[in-house]
Amino acid sequence: MVGEKIKKELYRAIREIGKQKIQKDITSSIQSSQKYIDLIMNKCIGRLVSFELNSDHDRITGTLGEALLHFMLTISTLPSERKIRINSELVLDVVIPNLRILKTNPSKSIIVQFIKEGKELEKISKLQFIQPNAENIWVVFHKPLTVTKYKTYSIIPDSFSNIIVDIHNFLNQSGDKTLRFVYTK
């Protein structure tokens, strides 16, 4: 499935709910991000999976989850950097709050890595060369993982809907003071 089709369905679902409504609700209560993540994922997965073969389901849900996380981070004004190429083999999907903090004070930074197919699971151990605190490596997979060393989220069943609240709490606990820009588009 092409990323553009996934992005199109994601923004269609966001428009149906109302981007300003989502932003207003999340701004007043970060916990409301959970209901919106669930709602948007359910709308989009139903539409996208019917277009494609089930064999591509894992990649579709992973790509959709990553795109939705990017949207949620933006509207909730949580600081992040995305798609950071470390070398030819490793790209960090999301770094919270930013790469500079990850390099200088890894205990105050997290890496969120999306695993879109089983063979990508081997990437996880490589992340510890960049983030030595295993508990600050958060892995998102389409189904529950048995990896206990890292914090894990599954898209189905949906522990993934907690991720924005967890990022918000992590930043509060780490004393994050990064400048945040309000998204108004």
Side-chain angles (χ1 to χ4, degrees), residues 9-27:
E9 284 302 324
L10 171 64
Y11 281 95
R12 175 179 162 197
I14 290 167
R15 276 191 312 278
E16 288 171 359
I17 298 166
K19 188 171 17 175
Q20 285 73 26
K21 178 180 177 20
I22 296 169
Q23 184 175 14
K24 181 178 173 266
D25 290 351
I26 291 174
T27 302

Side-chain angles (χ1 to χ4, degrees), residues 17-37 40 68 71-78 161 164-165 168:
I17 298 166
K19 188 171 17 175
Q20 285 73 26
K21 178 180 177 20
I22 296 169
Q23 184 175 14
K24 181 178 173 266
D25 290 351
I26 291 174
T27 302
S28 30
S29 171
I30 199 75
Q31 283 73 22
S32 66
S33 65
Q34 294 168 310
K35 96 175 166 186
Y36 286 115
I37 289 173
I40 293 167
L68 180 55
F71 170 77
M72 288 295 196
L73 288 167
T74 301
I75 66 162
S76 61
T77 70
L78 294 172
S161 63
I164 292 293
V165 172
H168 174 77

Side-chain angles (χ1 to χ4, degrees), residues 23 45 60 65 70 78 87 93 128 168:
Q23 184 175 14
I45 288 173
I60 291 169
H70 290 188
L78 294 172
N87 57 41
D93 292 331
Q128 276 203 257
H168 174 77

Side-chain angles (χ1 to χ4, degrees), residues 56-67:
D56 214 15
H57 183 266
D58 303 346
R59 182 160 287 287
I60 291 169
T61 55
T63 303
L64 175 62
E66 185 177 358

